[in-house]
Amino acid sequence: MNRRTVLGGLFAVASVPALTACGGGITSLNSQGSTSGGGSSKGGVTIGTANFTENQVLGYLYAAALKGAGVKVTVRPNLGTREIVIPALRGGDIDLLPEYQGALLNYLDPKATPTEAGAMQNALAQALPAGLQVLPYGMAEDSDAFVVTRQTARKYGLASLADLRKHNGKLVIGAAPEVKKRQVGAVGLKDVYGVEFKEFKSLDSDGPLVKGALKKGDVDVANLFTTDTDIKANDWVVLTDPAHLVPSQHIVPLVADRKADDTVRKALAGLGNLLTTAQLTELNRQVDKDKKDPEDVANAYARQHGLVK
């Protein structure tokens, strides 16, 4: 889930009523934000995903939920970063994306201050360009994490992001290229914590390159995701975030108005109420560790939990 950079020429949608979280963390389907009133999924829905495992799994979970509701679905996985998929959504190449609340809000409005899930949902509805809307956010959450090895943590006395400042100019960070210019990345680490790195190494998004570099010691700090099972498996240390640089990151569907009818809303709200962070982490593990296909993993989950027959 790596994130951020500002879209040019954004037009805010109309103001919406306050959104409140229900028991499972998902906003009420009845307290939705903007709606077009003219959306229809009858012609089918094209789902796009970003270029990392979890987003692909989520894309296929969305597809399974929609197919279970009778919607014809096409999935275009692994399209790239947010800088690619958001314009594709606006341009009509795709209709639906799995997104992350805080990351999406920071992408649209780097100066936005909400960090609580309900407040961010409201802010998102107002920050989105015309023609797009967010549906209720789900229980599952996946945040950015800045991770060091246990050895590096002991060597430099690192427990929090604030501790990195003590070693300015000495440490190397590895992450996807876009993280160098993002608020939840090198920019925010400097602005919020005063951290300056010796070098930024452009690698991949929570993938084998950045994790391999961390293992080998080629980077001291890596930008990973909290649902990555490699963190626990390797006894890596997630640096705490006392200044709350990283906002809430509940999974949230981002959809074009043209496809946001009641069928789509109800199907995705049902999935959001069902999928937990622990379950999503396990699905990621099956793909990354067991080398299963993301579509197969998502479909198996959907069958197990009654999303499809």
Side-chain angles (χ1 to χ4, degrees), residues 1 4 21 125 128 165 195 202 218 233 257 271 288:
M1 287 156 304
R4 327 255 200 277
L128 282 168
R165 184 179 179 179
V195 177
S202 295
D218 293 336
D257 289 347
L271 174 63
D288 288 335

Side-chain angles (χ1 to χ4, degrees), residues 54-79:
E54 180 177 283
N55 209 252
Q56 293 176 49
V57 170
L58 286 167
Y60 286 116
L61 284 173
Y62 282 11
L66 292 176
K67 287 177 183 176
V71 178
K72 181 180 178 181
V73 178
T74 301
V75 179
R76 297 183 62 189
N78 203 33
L79 293 178

Side-chain angles (χ1 to χ4, degrees), residues 1-5 50-52 80-84 107 175-187 200-206 223 225:
M1 287 156 304
N2 279 311
R3 349 267 187 206
R4 327 255 200 277
T5 30
N51 56 339
F52 56 92
T81 66
R82 185 168 288 107
E83 289 77 7
I84 295 172
Y107 174 82
E178 60 270 16
V179 176
K180 187 174 184 178
K181 298 181 180 180
R182 290 180 170 178
Q183 183 65 17
V184 180
V187 173
F200 182 101
K201 286 196 174 183
S202 295
L203 299 169
D204 53 7
S205 181
D206 195 56
N223 177 217
F225 306 145

Side-chain angles (χ1 to χ4, degrees), residues 105-234:
L105 182 58
N106 266 288
Y107 174 82
L108 296 168
D109 182 8
K111 296 182 180 180
T113 58
T115 57
E116 184 272 327
M120 281 198 295
Q121 192 81 349
N122 225 12
L124 274 171
Q126 298 182 60
L128 282 168
L132 303 183
Q133 59 184 277
V134 285
L135 301 186
Y137 65 88
M139 291 190 293
E141 183 175 8
D142 183 8
S143 298
D144 284 274
F146 294 94
V147 176
V148 299
T149 64
R150 184 70 61 182
Q151 181 180 7
T152 296
R154 289 171 178 162
K155 179 179 179 180
Y156 293 103
L158 302 176
S160 79
L161 295 176
D163 294 330
L164 294 172
R165 184 179 179 179
K166 303 172 186 176
H167 308 284
N168 276 354
K170 298 179 182 178
L171 304 178
V172 177
I173 184 173
E178 60 270 16
V179 176
K180 187 174 184 178
K181 298 181 180 180
R182 290 180 170 178
Q183 183 65 17
V184 180
V187 173
L189 286 170
K190 183 175 182 180
D191 291 347
V192 175
Y193 287 104
V195 177
E196 296 183 7
F197 292 100
K198 176 182 178 181
E199 182 184 354
F200 182 101
K201 286 196 174 183
S202 295
L203 299 169
D204 53 7
S205 181
D206 195 56
L209 295 181
V210 67
K211 287 186 276 190
L214 186 63
K215 287 180 181 179
K216 294 176 183 177
D218 293 336
V219 301
D220 303 296
V221 182
N223 177 217
L224 304 180
F225 306 145
T226 54
T227 56
D228 191 328
T229 55
D230 278 334
I231 295 174
K232 182 177 180 180
N234 290 283

Side-chain angles (χ1 to χ4, degrees), residues 284-304:
N284 291 341
R285 186 199 65 76
Q286 291 180 31
V287 176
D288 288 335
K289 296 301 180 186
D290 298 345
K291 305 304 179 184
K292 294 182 179 180
D293 182 80
E295 184 174 9
D296 293 340
V297 167
N299 287 339
Y301 177 91
R303 288 192 297 270
Q304 179 184 357

